[in-house]
Amino acid sequence: GHLGTMTLSENLPTKRQRIVLQPTVLSSGSRNFANNEDFNGDVELGLSAKVPVGSKFKMDLTVNPDFSTVDVDQQVTNLSRFSIQFPERRQFFLENSDLFSSFGTWGVKPFFSRTIGLNGGSVVPILFGSRMTGNVNENLRVGAMNVQTRSVDDLSANNYTVFAAQQNVWGRSSFKTLVTNRSAYTNNSFAGEDFNRTIGAEYHFISANNTLRGNLRYHWSQTEDKLSDASFAGATLIFNNGITFAGLTFDRLGDNFINELGFSMRSFQYDAANNRMVRIGYNFVNPWVGYNYRPESGWVNSHQFSSWTVASFETNGDFIDRVSSLNYFLSTRDYGSFEVSLRNNKIRLLYETDLIGGDEFLDRKSTRLNSSHQIISYA
């Protein structure tokens, strides 16, 4: 070959870490000429900073952050019965976000940063925020975050605190812990009767040959009402050797698991008759299995056959819904694809439901919706 070896006479100099400051100015002005009003103007100053703390930690600070340059969310028409999880786009919450947001499953996130700075879809201004992340040693990674919001109209100011730690053990496995807290802040002091806290731990493991992986998880919440059945627990096991793959996820969300800093797509059911959202607990089961066949020659890259089921039940065992699917997926060597899926749905409505804005609602409890359809797509 034509490759050689380069040997340095001395080590490269270590790059000196520096403090980075980013000031922002946001101004606006208006005047109503029709009413002959005076000119109204407003100027808001903000500052973001990155501060190295030793050689292993980094602190991010922000005061009056300006999120006006953040990309807007993609418009989505939600025809399902569940909430949609939009991705976080604010830079302050994105850096090292995996340390805080990698808990839970695809349907339940014990920490979801978009809950900070929003209330019922309305924007709540952030007064300041700080975050410190880094490695205590080769195997221990920690992070802490604190954010203070302003009071808006009838909403009190709130202080949010999040702590996360990840300890690597036994090769590629790890223990993780997460603590979150929201406390109302009024009259320059914390309101002890208005808070929401959670604490949780998870064990993530990966086998040496990477064919087996999974995790165990348990999270507990508390509010000023000190309710019982306020935990979220579950387990996931996944096998994949490149040819055969299978997995199982099971979760149990208690009736009173209240996590204002998290996200759970199935936690609320809409009661159309009373125009309200109702919190319910549930058991969730998601098994899947599949097989990949790769022919030795020809234009086909692989044939994949798979099946999966998603089902949920009330905490007392009563059925809520189920979706089952049989799938075939073909991929070609020129990156083309063809897919066929057969699905069967079964839904039990917990509350009277308005699907099309009609004069009458679908009855609860006794209603069953069953459908089977075929989906064919190609590229």
Side-chain angles (χ1 to χ4, degrees):
H2 300 281
L3 299 179
T5 301
M6 182 175 64
T7 303
L8 300 177
S9 59
E10 57 184 23
N11 294 332
L12 294 175
T14 302
K15 185 178 180 180
R16 182 183 176 184
Q17 294 182 321
R18 299 178 182 275
I19 298 176
V20 178
L21 301 178
Q22 183 179 2
T24 59
V25 178
L26 182 63
S27 62
S28 62
S30 63
R31 181 182 179 185
N32 190 328
F33 289 92
N35 296 333
N36 196 26
E37 294 179 356
D38 294 334
F39 177 83
N40 293 318
D42 182 51
V43 176
E44 292 188 8
L45 303 179
L47 178 66
S48 297
K50 297 181 182 298
V51 182
V53 181
S55 60
K56 296 182 178 180
F57 285 85
K58 182 178 71 173
M59 177 179 289
D60 292 89
L61 304 172
T62 185
V63 179
N64 289 332
D66 175 23
F67 299 128
S68 60
T69 59
V70 175
D71 292 338
V72 297
D73 293 319
Q74 180 181 358
Q75 277 193 324
V76 176
T77 301
N78 186 9
L79 300 178
S80 72
R81 297 177 295 117
F82 310 118
S83 301
I84 296 177
Q85 182 181 359
F86 289 100
E88 178 61 83
R89 300 180 184 276
R90 297 169 294 179
Q91 190 62 35
F92 174 79
F93 295 99
L94 285 177
E95 294 189 13
N96 294 313
S97 60
D98 63 296
L99 181 60
F100 302 96
S101 62
S102 59
F103 293 83
T105 64
W106 60 272
V108 182
K109 291 296 182 182
F111 175 68
F112 183 45
S113 60
R114 283 189 59 137
T115 58
I116 301 176
L118 290 175
N119 187 289
S122 300
V123 176
V124 179
I126 293 177
L127 177 60
F128 66 81
S130 62
R131 182 185 63 246
M132 180 180 290
T133 56
N135 297 304
V136 176
N137 53 48
E138 184 178 352
N139 294 314
L140 178 58
R141 184 183 178 203
V142 297
M145 181 190 308
N146 183 267
V147 178
Q148 176 77 31
T149 62
R150 299 178 183 271
S151 60
V152 178
D153 297 329
D154 58 342
L155 298 176
S156 64
N158 282 280
N159 184 269
Y160 301 86
T161 301
V162 185
F163 172 81
Q166 177 178 330
Q167 173 70 52
N168 296 330
V169 295
W170 306 316
R172 303 172 63 189
S173 300
S174 64
F175 282 105
K176 304 170 64 176
T177 185
L178 175 71
V179 179
T180 69
N181 181 79
R182 180 205 59 80
S183 295
Y185 191 83
T186 58
N187 299 324
N188 297 322
S189 64
F190 291 104
E193 72 281 358
D194 185 1
F195 68 89
N196 177 231
R197 298 168 186 149
T198 71
I199 181 171
E202 299 190 2
Y203 170 57
H204 293 242
F205 68 92
I206 303 176
S207 64
N209 59 3
N210 203 36
T211 60
L212 192 66
R213 62 176 61 202
N215 63 74
L216 301 172
R217 48 194 174 270
Y218 181 85
H219 296 261
W220 171 80
S221 71
Q222 183 185 33
T223 64
E224 60 273 10
D225 296 324
K226 298 182 179 179
L227 303 171
S228 60
D229 196 15
S231 63
F232 158 53
T236 296
L237 184 64
I238 301 173
F239 171 82
N240 191 338
N241 62 5
I243 300 176
T244 303
F245 58 93
L248 174 65
T249 288
F250 174 80
D251 286 319
R252 184 187 186 279
L253 211 72
D255 291 326
N256 297 315
F257 180 72
I258 301 174
N259 183 5
E260 297 176 5
L261 272 73
F263 174 84
S264 174
M265 61 186 297
R266 293 172 174 264
S267 286
F268 291 92
Q269 297 278 344
Y270 180 59
D271 179 3
N274 298 297
N275 191 27
R276 60 173 183 164
M277 300 297 291
V278 181
R279 183 191 304 274
I280 67 162
Y282 62 86
N283 298 323
F284 175 82
V285 181
N286 175 207
W288 67 92
V289 64
Y291 175 77
N292 288 310
Y293 171 68
R294 296 182 174 85
E296 297 182 357
S297 61
W299 59 277
V300 175
N301 184 47
S302 67
H303 302 273
Q304 183 183 100
F305 306 89
S306 65
S307 175
W308 53 262
T309 295
V310 173
S312 66
F313 306 83
E314 292 186 74
T315 53
N316 62 7
D318 291 344
F319 174 84
I320 299 178
D321 59 18
R322 173 189 53 77
V323 181
S324 298
S325 176
L326 292 173
N327 316 289
Y328 167 72
F329 180 78
L330 178 147
S331 64
T332 66
R333 298 187 183 277
D334 60 356
Y335 304 103
S337 64
F338 174 81
E339 180 179 7
V340 177
S341 295
L342 298 175
R343 297 185 183 180
N344 178 267
N345 305 339
K346 184 176 182 180
I347 302 171
R348 167 177 162 260
L349 300 178
L350 302 184
Y351 299 93
E352 293 183 338
T353 302
D354 181 14
L355 291 180
I356 57 176
D359 296 330
E360 297 182 0
F361 300 136
L362 294 176
D363 293 335
R364 67 184 182 95
K365 300 293 185 180
S366 61
T367 302
R368 297 291 191 273
L369 301 180
N370 297 275
S371 66
S372 297
H373 58 275
Q374 184 180 44
I375 301 174
I376 301 177
S377 63
Y378 62 91

